[in-house]
Amino acid sequence: MVGERRINGHLLARLVGPEADGRPYYLALGRAVSGLVLDGRVPTFTRLPAERDLAAALGVSRNTVTAAYTWLRENGFLDSRQGAGSWTVLPEGGSAPGVLMPRTDRIDLGVAAPSAVDGIQQAARLAVDQLAVHVGGIGYNVRGLPELRHAIARRYVERGLPTAPEQIFVTSGAMHAVALLMDILTEPGDSLLVESPTYPHALDAARRLEARVRTVGVTPSGWDMDHVLDAFRRIRPAAAYLIPDFQNPTGVLMDDRERAAVAAEARRAGSALIVDEGVAELAIDSGDLPAPLAAHDTDGRVFTVGSAAKSFWGGLRIGWVRTTPPMVERLTTARQRLDLSSSLLDQLTVTHLLADTLRIRAERSRQLRRNRDALVAALREKLPDWEFSSPSGGLVLWAGLPGAAASALAESASRHGVYVAPGPLFGADGTLERRVRLSYAHAPEVLVEGVDRLARAWTHTPSRPGRVHHGLLG
């Protein structure tokens, strides 16, 4: 929402400093800010500093900043309201005439978003062919398209978890599902237990709902189960948000015994469990996977969130919740306050892709194994003093630095043409300065080049914490 984010003049000046290269300076400045917005380094709906504040920080005249802001407005990157200031937006269609697009040679190791799987275009064509069956109706399916709900339920059955279509609620992505569940399961002031580190956008959702965020640690070796179970006993949270499958960002996998213990302790504490399975299908190494955490549920308190984004493609904005039929009705009511249905074409496309899940899983596994191994080898060669474990699945690697310099490294890396996600983004209290998350969603040759740039950036990084900048992560 407008006004929720702000950036001060000194921070914006530091971000645009390396980018604003050229004459006239107002144009270079405007293009630099638009590049930051397009890169996600300055999120949309961020209130920019007053013209005089930015001018003072940059050491230029106010007229120069005024001209740059005017250029941003004319090109669709800035919206203003008298008395309310100016905030960043995106042009319609994502670009505008005269806009300098971000440099294409930048490598983003921060976003965990793989490319589309083979077969997605064929699935989309089949979805279009099916439109004739649906265009006679209103096009809304608040609970989700019946055939998609059947397909999702069938996939849970294949994973060993009996599930009926009536237990599935389709959403517009996994974060839509997580936010809806948090809204229903917590009230302002309620305790919400989360892992630390954890997925930043889930933390943001909890804060927007004014929940009291309480944390339990996850290390590169896994969960300290004594600590986790004790937290349920002491805090008795209204709900807990957990990522047991290739946890984001550590990549660790919770075993069957641990899942059973968490479900039992949550039951005793009266806590709901929001279980994020966004990457549960992305195993890389061979071996038996644990049963879904919901397999240990005896009273309907485990709410499982799934997504098409990581398995198939992020452009398919389809997620879901596996729960009880009564909870599906509560979700239906809650959804209609903001949204009526997910995209019909996306739902039809995902239905076709789910029918081909085994082939797609095998393809993804081969692709991610190549990528992960390339990243691991490059890190060991170029940054041998960094500590990390090779994840057995998922999309990310959680690396430990020799010093508390993650945010400073992120800034230095950006100047070297590579983006990383600093550890504090994944914590509730600004800690984790000794960690960075690296995505291996890119091809091996891109990852090798990215690590090479990262190694050069590391040599120019002061061993001290810097500022943390939010952006798109996944």
Side-chain angles (χ1 to χ4, degrees):
M1 297 295 293
V2 174
E4 288 186 354
R5 302 187 185 96
R6 295 175 183 270
I7 186 168
N8 64 46
H10 290 290
L11 177 54
L12 185 57
R14 190 160 77 245
L15 289 174
V16 302
E19 309 293 335
D21 183 20
R23 293 291 182 269
Y25 184 75
Y26 84 88
L27 183 57
L29 176 59
R31 286 175 168 172
V33 173
S34 71
L36 293 170
V37 174
L38 288 166
D39 285 347
R41 295 166 63 201
V42 173
T44 55
F45 302 111
T46 296
R47 194 179 300 278
L48 294 187
E51 293 171 359
R52 65 171 62 88
D53 294 338
L54 181 57
L58 289 168
V60 300
S61 72
R62 181 178 176 182
N63 288 342
T64 297
V65 176
T66 299
Y69 278 16
T70 299
W71 184 92
L72 287 165
R73 289 188 198 94
E74 291 174 348
N75 285 278
F77 284 96
L78 201 64
D79 201 357
S80 303
R81 186 179 307 145
Q82 188 171 5
S86 300
W87 52 91
T88 56
V89 292
L90 281 176
E92 293 184 9
S95 61
V99 172
L100 180 67
M101 300 299 289
R103 284 168 47 193
T104 57
D105 63 343
R106 290 177 178 172
I107 297 173
D108 195 338
L109 302 182
V111 177
S115 57
V117 295
D118 288 342
I120 197 167
Q121 290 173 306
Q122 175 64 16
R125 283 192 288 267
L126 292 171
V128 171
D129 291 342
Q130 285 184 285
L131 273 182
V133 178
H134 297 274
V135 292
I138 63 172
Y140 295 146
N141 294 276
V142 182
R143 297 171 185 81
L145 202 62
E147 48 262 58
L148 176 57
R149 297 172 75 197
H150 275 81
I152 295 169
R154 183 172 60 249
R155 182 62 195 141
Y156 280 113
V157 172
E158 292 169 354
R159 294 175 61 199
L161 182 60
T163 303
E166 293 74 25
Q167 292 178 259
I168 302 300
F169 182 81
V170 176
T171 61
S172 298
M175 266 316 302
H176 183 206
V178 170
L180 278 173
L181 288 169
M182 287 184 178
D183 188 21
I184 290 175
L185 298 171
T186 66
E187 297 288 339
D190 281 351
S191 292
L192 177 71
L193 189 65
V194 303
E195 298 151 332
S196 180
T198 191
Y199 183 44
H201 297 306
L203 280 175
D204 290 343
R207 291 175 179 131
R208 284 195 297 271
L209 293 169
E210 300 181 5
R212 296 176 59 206
V213 175
R214 311 291 292 273
T215 62
V216 290
V218 182
T219 73
S221 301
W223 292 259
D224 180 341
M225 290 310 296
D226 289 340
H227 185 200
V228 172
L229 301 181
D230 181 65
F232 278 101
R233 298 183 193 115
R234 288 185 298 100
I235 300 170
R236 304 184 72 83
Y241 170 76
L242 304 175
I243 313 174
D245 297 276
F246 311 118
Q247 200 263 355
N248 186 359
T250 65
V252 293
L253 183 67
M254 188 181 287
D255 65 31
D256 278 308
R257 179 185 57 82
E258 292 170 330
R259 293 170 192 238
V262 168
E265 202 59 58
R267 186 163 54 251
R268 284 189 283 269
S271 305
L273 292 178
I274 302 171
V275 177
D276 190 336
E277 286 192 348
V279 296
E281 299 274 22
L282 299 186
I284 296 175
D285 297 331
S286 60
D288 293 335
L289 291 174
L293 200 151
H296 304 284
D297 186 20
T298 60
D299 58 356
R301 70 179 56 254
V302 177
F303 305 92
T304 305
V305 175
S307 170
K310 309 302 184 185
S311 296
F312 304 141
W313 184 45
L316 293 170
R317 303 312 305 150
I318 297 296
W320 56 83
V321 179
R322 181 200 178 273
T323 180
T324 62
M327 187 63 174
V328 168
E329 297 309 310
R330 289 185 64 188
L331 286 163
T332 301
T333 300
R335 176 185 202 153
Q336 292 179 85
R337 295 198 293 265
L338 297 172
D339 179 34
L340 292 178
S341 178
S342 300
S343 161
L344 177 62
L345 272 173
D346 280 8
Q347 292 186 75
L348 288 169
T349 302
V350 172
T351 302
H352 288 291
L353 290 170
L354 282 168
D356 200 16
T357 293
L358 295 181
R359 179 195 65 81
I360 290 171
R361 281 189 65 196
E363 175 191 312
R364 270 280 190 247
S365 180
R366 287 191 296 270
Q367 175 195 56
L368 293 176
R369 184 179 299 110
R370 288 192 300 269
N371 296 358
R372 179 204 61 185
D373 292 350
L375 177 62
V376 166
L379 287 171
R380 287 176 176 161
E381 177 187 356
K382 299 289 185 178
L383 293 160
D385 54 344
W386 288 22
E387 297 179 354
F388 58 89
S389 298
S390 180
S392 61
L395 291 160
V396 297
L397 181 149
W398 189 231
L401 309 179
S407 296
L409 171 62
E411 291 186 1
S412 177
S414 176
R415 291 192 290 273
H416 285 77
V418 59
Y419 298 145
V420 298
L425 289 178
F426 303 89
D429 51 8
T431 57
L432 304 170
E433 273 290 351
R434 292 181 180 270
R435 292 278 171 180
V436 293
R437 194 194 76 174
L438 305 174
S439 165
Y440 44 86
H442 293 289
E445 59 273 15
V446 177
L447 293 168
V448 170
E449 172 62 22
V451 172
D452 189 58
R453 298 181 188 186
L454 192 58
R456 293 198 298 271
W458 178 241
T459 65
H460 295 91
T461 300
S463 296
R464 55 181 171 77
R467 296 292 296 272
V468 178
H469 311 302
H470 256 294
L472 178 67
L473 290 171

